C-alpha cells in the first residue's frame, strides 16, 4: 500500500492550498481516508476524515468551515482543500488510511497506513 501526498508548500495567512493523496494497493472503497498533521513539538492530530461507505466527512473543530475533504474512488485519491489558512495550520500533513468505516476522527494509533507527509508553511 502506498499513499503519496502532494500540493504542500507556502501560503500566506488567509490563503489556500489543496493537498492530494494518491493511493495504490488499497481497498479504497472499504477504507476511511484521513488527513493528520504534526507541528514541531506537538502530537500528531487528526484534521479530517472521509468515510468510504457514504463519503461522510469529519473535521477537527479547529478547521471546520475552512478545510474540506473529498475523495474519488475511481482515482483512488483524496484531497484536502485548505482555505483561510492561519499560521497555526503550519505543520507536516500526513495522508492516512484505515480499514473500514470510521464515522469520527480516529486517533493516530488506529491508522493502518501512512503517507510520508508533506510540509505546509503559513506566513503571517
Amino acid at each position: 500500500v502506498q499513499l503519496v501526498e502532494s500540493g504542500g508548500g507556502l501560503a500566506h495567512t488567509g490563503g489556500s492550498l489543496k493537498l492530494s493523496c494518491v493511493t495504490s494497493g488499497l481497498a479504497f472503497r472499504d477504507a476511511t481516508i484521513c488527513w493528520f498533521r504534526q507541528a514541531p513539538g506537538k502530537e500528531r492530530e487528526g484534521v479530517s476524515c472521509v468515510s468510504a461507505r457514504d463519503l461522510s466527512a469529519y473535521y477537527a473543530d479547529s478547521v471546520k468551515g475552512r478545510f474540506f475533504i473529498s475523495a474519488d474512488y475511481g482515482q483512488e485519491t483524496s484531497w484536502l482543500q485548505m482555505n483561510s489558512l492561519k499560521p497555526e495550520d503550519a505543520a507536516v500533513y500526513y495522508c492516512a488510511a484505515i480499514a473500514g468505516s470510521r464515522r469520527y476522527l480516529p486517533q493516530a494509533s488506529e491508522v493502518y497506513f501512512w503517507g510520508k507527509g508533506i510540509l505546509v508553511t503559513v506566513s503571517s
Side-chain angles (χ1 to χ4, degrees):
V1 174
Q2 286 190 316
L3 291 77
V4 180
E5 304 98 335
S6 62
L10 173 66
H12 296 293
T13 297
S16 298
L17 285 172
K18 187 173 184 178
L19 305 182
S20 299
C21 173
V22 178
T23 73
S24 60
L26 181 68
F28 195 87
R29 286 186 175 270
D30 296 325
T32 296
I33 306 299
C34 298
W35 290 89
F36 285 74
R37 68 185 180 188
Q38 188 167 19
K42 294 189 176 182
E43 292 187 357
R44 193 169 295 188
E45 62 173 353
V47 174
S48 182
C49 291
V50 57
S51 174
R53 298 238 176 113
D54 56 7
L55 294 181
S56 55
Y58 302 88
Y59 299 94
D61 288 342
S62 58
V63 306
K64 278 181 183 175
R66 300 189 298 121
F67 289 13
F68 301 94
I69 193 170
S70 58
D72 184 285
Y73 296 129
Q75 299 182 55
E76 297 189 329
T77 299
S78 173
W79 297 270
L80 184 68
Q81 176 68 49
M82 306 186 295
N83 301 325
S84 302
L85 283 163
K86 304 176 180 180
E88 53 264 41
D89 294 319
V92 176
Y93 282 72
Y94 297 88
C95 181
I98 301 170
S101 179
R102 298 288 191 278
R103 297 193 176 189
Y104 58 89
L105 280 181
Q107 299 295 314
S109 58
E110 299 179 63
V111 172
Y112 284 46
F113 304 106
W114 291 100
K116 292 183 179 181
I118 192 162
L119 181 64
V120 170
T121 304
V122 183
S123 63
S124 56

